[in-house]
Amino acid sequence: MENAPLHEALRSPLSGLADTFAGEVIRPGDPDYDSARLVWNGMVDRYPALVVRPTATADVVEALRFAREQDLVVAVRGGGHSIPGLSTCDEGIVIDLSRMRGATADPETRTAVASGGALLAELDDAAQAFGLVCPVGVVSHTGVAGLTLGGGMGRLQRRFGLTIDSLRAVELVTADGNVVRASEDENADLFWGLRGAGANFGIATSFEFALHALEGPITHGSVIHPIERAGELAALFRETLERGPDELWLGFYLRRALPAEDFPPEVGGRLIAVASACHCGPPVAAERDLAALRAFGPPVIDSIEVKPYLAAQHAADDAMEWGHRFYMKSAFLPTLPDELVELGVEHAHRMPEGADGEFSIWCWGRAIANVPEDATAFTGRDAGFWLACEVQWDDPALDEPARDWARAAVAAAAPFASAGRYVNDVAETGEDGRAIYGEAKHRRLVELKRTWDPDNVFRLNQNIRPS
Ligand SMILES: Cc1cc2nc3c(=O)[nH]c(=O)nc-3n(C[C@H](O)[C@H](O)[C@H](O)COP(=O)(O)OP(=O)(O)OC[C@H]3O[C@@H](n4cnc5c(N)ncnc54)[C@H](O)[C@@H]3O)c2cc1C
């Protein structure tokens, strides 16, 4: 009986699905099975009983009906970038929306519609075709669905807020197989929960976003210094942000200069301090706002330049390609004290050899903080900064040391952290939802879960348990 769901599925009247299901059905042994079961994080290696690829909402309803009838664990896959691999499973069914891709934009209403399986690049391209933009994440092969349902942080966040702050409506297939719309006017309570805890309540088949004007080029790139200058660079990072407009986004990183051959010999392969910038205002304003940061040093590298927004959106795609092993841990910070930067430097020195790790700080606030904390399930709007330790590697022997490194760094930073955690960064499963959302929001989410998914059909996520 141990593998009952698997055996049941394989013996089951699959034709009962195939008769009414227009999409693809892939089972163990099929030529595409091994590629269909892959997700972005190379650490995740699971064997679902079947992978189905719906082509439209009706297919999603049918796949879910079948899964519930067969009592299969349900994994929902958008772009497949879940850090802990929550969009796949062993023995259950993967409802993979990769055949429901694409996004369209309407310049008249300044809105865009993205399908449930769309990637960020598709939404970016559709909006930029009309000089418009929806604020999304920084790696263009990430899924719109998972990113949005968790919150959505990115280069334009101080100007236009999180991705959920531009979300106007979601079409959702619920646990009982109904198709509902959630917006401020329809199922408003559900819409509140979808914006931050969204993977818990159903399968999103489309998203409607408000778009914002972004016609001209942006100013984007990094200044790089040896790590010995980290303290001074961090001070300048803070000052530049305080003085700078909402159009200015900055990130501060402590990392190794890898691959070494891509860097000048004085830093190649060594630890560096990096300040990255994205300024979405006019180039002349960016030049003024970034002048002090660029004059400091001089930097070993200054790659800041004027470029199309879409070029910046693709800049990190190759470095974050599919298949590497990956782990991260994050926290929100009210401020960025010198002691924390020193702690980051100390941990950067302890990064395991062979792992490509990064101690990152992103600016927060402005448009994010203009939305009241209780307006959405997302928790942590009043932070000053977001801190993450991210690490990528290929050798399985580094699994433990790499994860331990990130865990230890964020644990050491805990005394500096503020409330809430970004759900999309939580790499462990079984995390207490109270730590992510706080007590009061978690209670409200449990109530919502009882209403919309009392049987916890959607549990492969940072799960809000209905009981
Ligand atoms: C390389 C990389 C870069 C990233 N950059 C950023 C960034 O800049 N900003 C940021 O905010 N986050 C970023 N993230 C985190 C990212 O937002 C999350 O990993 C997100 O969950 C990925 O969404 P996905 O659709 O690709 O993932 P998936 O693995 O497909 O899904 C993630 C979760 O959402 C659920 N889900 C997926 N599709 C649907 C759907 N249609 N309906 C309901 N539930 C669904 C899944 O079941 C799973 O629980 C990044 C992650 C990676 C790996």
Side-chain angles (χ1 to χ4, degrees), residues 149-182:
L149 296 169
M153 43 190 288
R155 298 183 173 102
L156 304 180
Q157 62 186 17
R158 291 222 310 176
R159 174 77 182 89
F160 299 123
L162 300 170
T163 307
I164 45 171
D165 301 332
S166 295
L167 185 64
R168 291 293 167 265
V170 179
E171 182 189 82
L172 193 75
V173 176
T174 60
D176 54 10
N178 287 320
V179 182
V180 300
R181 188 177 148 89

Coordinates of all heavy atoms in Angstrom, one line a residue, residues 149-182:
L149 N 2.3 35.5 -6.9 CA 1.5 35.0 -5.8 C 2.2 35.2 -4.5 O 1.6 35.2 -3.4 CB 1.1 33.6 -6.0 CG 0.2 33.4 -7.3 CD1 0.0 31.9 -7.6 CD2 -1.2 34.0 -7.0
G150 N 3.6 35.3 -4.5 CA 4.3 35.5 -3.3 C 4.6 37.0 -3.0 O 4.8 37.3 -1.8
G151 N 4.6 37.8 -4.0 CA 4.8 39.3 -3.8 C 5.4 39.9 -5.0 O 4.8 40.8 -5.6
G152 N 6.7 39.6 -5.3 CA 7.3 40.1 -6.5 C 8.2 41.3 -6.2 O 7.7 42.4 -6.3
M153 N 9.5 41.1 -6.0 CA 10.4 42.2 -5.8 C 11.3 42.4 -7.0 O 11.5 41.4 -7.7 CB 11.2 42.1 -4.5 CG 11.7 40.7 -4.3 SD 12.4 40.5 -2.6 CE 13.9 41.5 -2.8
G154 N 11.7 43.6 -7.3 CA 12.6 43.8 -8.5 C 13.1 45.2 -8.6 O 13.0 46.0 -7.6
R155 N 13.7 45.5 -9.7 CA 14.5 46.7 -9.9 C 13.7 48.0 -9.9 O 14.2 49.1 -9.7 CB 15.2 46.7 -11.3 CG 16.2 45.6 -11.4 CD 16.9 45.6 -12.7 NE 18.0 44.6 -12.7 CZ 17.9 43.4 -13.3 NH1 16.8 43.1 -14.0 NH2 18.9 42.6 -13.3
L156 N 12.4 47.9 -10.1 CA 11.5 49.1 -10.1 C 10.7 49.3 -8.9 O 9.8 50.0 -8.8 CB 10.6 49.0 -11.3 CG 11.3 48.8 -12.7 CD1 10.2 48.7 -13.8 CD2 12.2 49.9 -13.0
Q157 N 11.0 48.5 -7.8 CA 10.1 48.4 -6.7 C 10.0 49.7 -5.9 O 9.0 50.0 -5.3 CB 10.5 47.2 -5.8 CG 11.9 47.4 -5.2 CD 12.3 46.1 -4.4 OE1 11.7 45.0 -4.6 NE2 13.3 46.2 -3.5
R158 N 11.1 50.5 -5.8 CA 10.9 51.8 -5.0 C 10.0 52.8 -5.8 O 9.4 53.7 -5.2 CB 12.3 52.4 -4.8 CG 13.1 51.6 -3.8 CD 13.9 52.4 -2.8 NE 14.6 53.5 -3.4 CZ 15.3 54.4 -2.7 NH1 15.2 54.4 -1.4 NH2 16.0 55.4 -3.3
R159 N 9.9 52.6 -7.1 CA 9.1 53.5 -7.9 C 7.7 53.0 -8.0 O 6.7 53.8 -7.9 CB 9.8 53.7 -9.3 CG 9.0 54.4 -10.3 CD 9.1 55.9 -10.1 NE 8.3 56.7 -11.0 CZ 7.0 57.0 -10.8 NH1 6.4 56.6 -9.7 NH2 6.4 57.7 -11.8
F160 N 7.5 51.7 -8.4 CA 6.2 51.2 -8.7 C 5.7 50.1 -7.7 O 4.6 49.5 -7.9 CB 6.2 50.6 -10.1 CG 6.5 51.6 -11.2 CD1 7.5 51.4 -12.0 CD2 5.7 52.7 -11.3 CE1 7.8 52.3 -13.0 CE2 6.0 53.7 -12.3 CZ 7.1 53.4 -13.2
G161 N 6.5 49.8 -6.7 CA 6.0 48.8 -5.6 C 6.3 47.4 -6.0 O 7.0 47.1 -7.0
L162 N 5.8 46.5 -5.3 CA 5.9 45.0 -5.6 C 5.0 44.7 -6.7 O 4.1 45.4 -7.1 CB 5.4 44.2 -4.3 CG 6.2 44.5 -3.0 CD1 5.6 43.8 -1.8 CD2 7.7 44.0 -3.2
T163 N 5.2 43.5 -7.3 CA 4.4 43.1 -8.4 C 2.9 43.0 -8.0 O 2.0 43.5 -8.7 CB 4.8 41.7 -9.0 OG1 6.2 41.8 -9.2 CG2 4.1 41.3 -10.2
I164 N 2.6 42.6 -6.8 CA 1.2 42.5 -6.3 C 0.6 43.9 -6.2 O -0.6 44.0 -6.2 CB 1.1 41.8 -5.0 CG1 2.1 42.3 -4.0 CG2 1.1 40.3 -5.1 CD1 1.9 41.8 -2.5
D165 N 1.4 44.9 -6.1 CA 0.8 46.3 -6.0 C 0.3 46.7 -7.4 O -0.5 47.7 -7.5 CB 1.8 47.3 -5.5 CG 2.3 46.8 -4.1 OD1 1.5 46.1 -3.4 OD2 3.4 47.1 -3.7
S166 N 0.6 46.0 -8.5 CA 0.1 46.3 -9.8 C -0.9 45.3 -10.2 O -1.5 45.4 -11.3 CB 1.2 46.4 -10.8 OG 2.1 47.5 -10.6
L167 N -1.2 44.3 -9.4 CA -2.1 43.2 -9.7 C -3.5 43.7 -9.6 O -3.9 44.3 -8.5 CB -1.9 42.0 -8.8 CG -2.6 40.7 -9.1 CD1 -2.3 40.2 -10.5 CD2 -2.4 39.7 -8.0
R168 N -4.3 43.5 -10.6 CA -5.7 44.0 -10.6 C -6.7 42.9 -10.4 O -7.8 43.0 -9.8 CB -6.1 44.8 -11.9 CG -5.4 46.1 -11.9 CD -5.8 47.1 -10.8 NE -5.0 48.3 -10.7 CZ -4.0 48.4 -9.8 NH1 -3.7 47.4 -9.0 NH2 -3.2 49.4 -9.7
A169 N -6.4 41.7 -11.0 CA -7.3 40.6 -10.9 C -6.6 39.3 -11.2 O -5.6 39.3 -11.9 CB -8.5 40.8 -11.8
V170 N -7.2 38.2 -10.6 CA -6.7 36.8 -10.9 C -7.8 35.9 -11.3 O -8.9 36.0 -10.6 CB -6.0 36.3 -9.7 CG1 -5.4 34.9 -9.9 CG2 -4.9 37.2 -9.2
E171 N -7.7 35.1 -12.3 CA -8.6 34.0 -12.6 C -8.1 32.8 -12.0 O -6.9 32.4 -12.2 CB -8.8 33.8 -14.1 CG -9.8 32.7 -14.4 CD -9.8 32.4 -15.9 OE1 -9.0 31.5 -16.3 OE2 -10.7 32.9 -16.6
L172 N -8.9 32.1 -11.1 CA -8.4 31.0 -10.3 C -9.3 29.8 -10.4 O -10.5 30.0 -10.3 CB -8.4 31.5 -8.9 CG -7.6 30.7 -7.8 CD1 -6.1 30.9 -8.0 CD2 -8.0 31.1 -6.4
V173 N -8.7 28.7 -10.6 CA -9.4 27.4 -10.5 C -9.3 27.0 -9.0 O -8.2 26.7 -8.5 CB -8.8 26.3 -11.5 CG1 -9.6 25.0 -11.3 CG2 -8.9 26.8 -12.9
T174 N -10.4 26.9 -8.4 CA -10.4 26.6 -6.9 C -10.4 25.1 -6.7 O -10.6 24.3 -7.6 CB -11.6 27.2 -6.2 OG1 -12.8 26.7 -6.8 CG2 -11.6 28.7 -6.4
A175 N -10.2 24.7 -5.4 CA -10.1 23.3 -5.1 C -11.3 22.5 -5.5 O -11.1 21.3 -5.8 CB -9.8 23.2 -3.6
D176 N -12.5 23.1 -5.5 CA -13.7 22.3 -5.9 C -13.9 22.4 -7.4 O -15.0 22.0 -7.9 CB -14.9 22.8 -5.1 CG -15.1 24.3 -5.2 OD1 -14.4 24.9 -6.0 OD2 -15.9 24.9 -4.4
G177 N -13.0 22.9 -8.1 CA -13.0 22.9 -9.6 C -13.8 24.1 -10.2 O -14.0 24.1 -11.4
N178 N -14.2 25.1 -9.4 CA -14.8 26.3 -9.9 C -13.8 27.3 -10.5 O -12.7 27.3 -10.0 CB -15.7 26.9 -8.9 CG -16.9 26.1 -8.6 OD1 -17.6 25.6 -9.5 ND2 -17.3 26.0 -7.3
V179 N -14.2 28.1 -11.4 CA -13.4 29.1 -11.9 C -13.9 30.4 -11.4 O -15.1 30.8 -11.6 CB -13.4 29.1 -13.5 CG1 -12.4 30.2 -14.0 CG2 -13.0 27.8 -14.0
V180 N -13.1 31.1 -10.6 CA -13.6 32.4 -10.0 C -12.6 33.5 -10.4 O -11.5 33.3 -10.8 CB -13.6 32.3 -8.4 CG1 -14.6 31.2 -8.0 CG2 -12.3 32.1 -7.8
R181 N -13.1 34.7 -10.2 CA -12.2 35.9 -10.4 C -12.1 36.6 -9.1 O -13.0 36.7 -8.3 CB -13.0 36.8 -11.4 CG -12.1 38.0 -11.9 CD -13.0 38.8 -12.9 NE -12.6 40.2 -12.8 CZ -11.6 40.8 -13.5 NH1 -10.9 40.0 -14.4 NH2 -11.4 42.0 -13.4
A182 N -10.9 37.0 -8.8 CA -10.6 37.7 -7.5 C -10.0 39.0 -7.8 O -9.1 39.1 -8.6 CB -9.7 36.9 -6.6

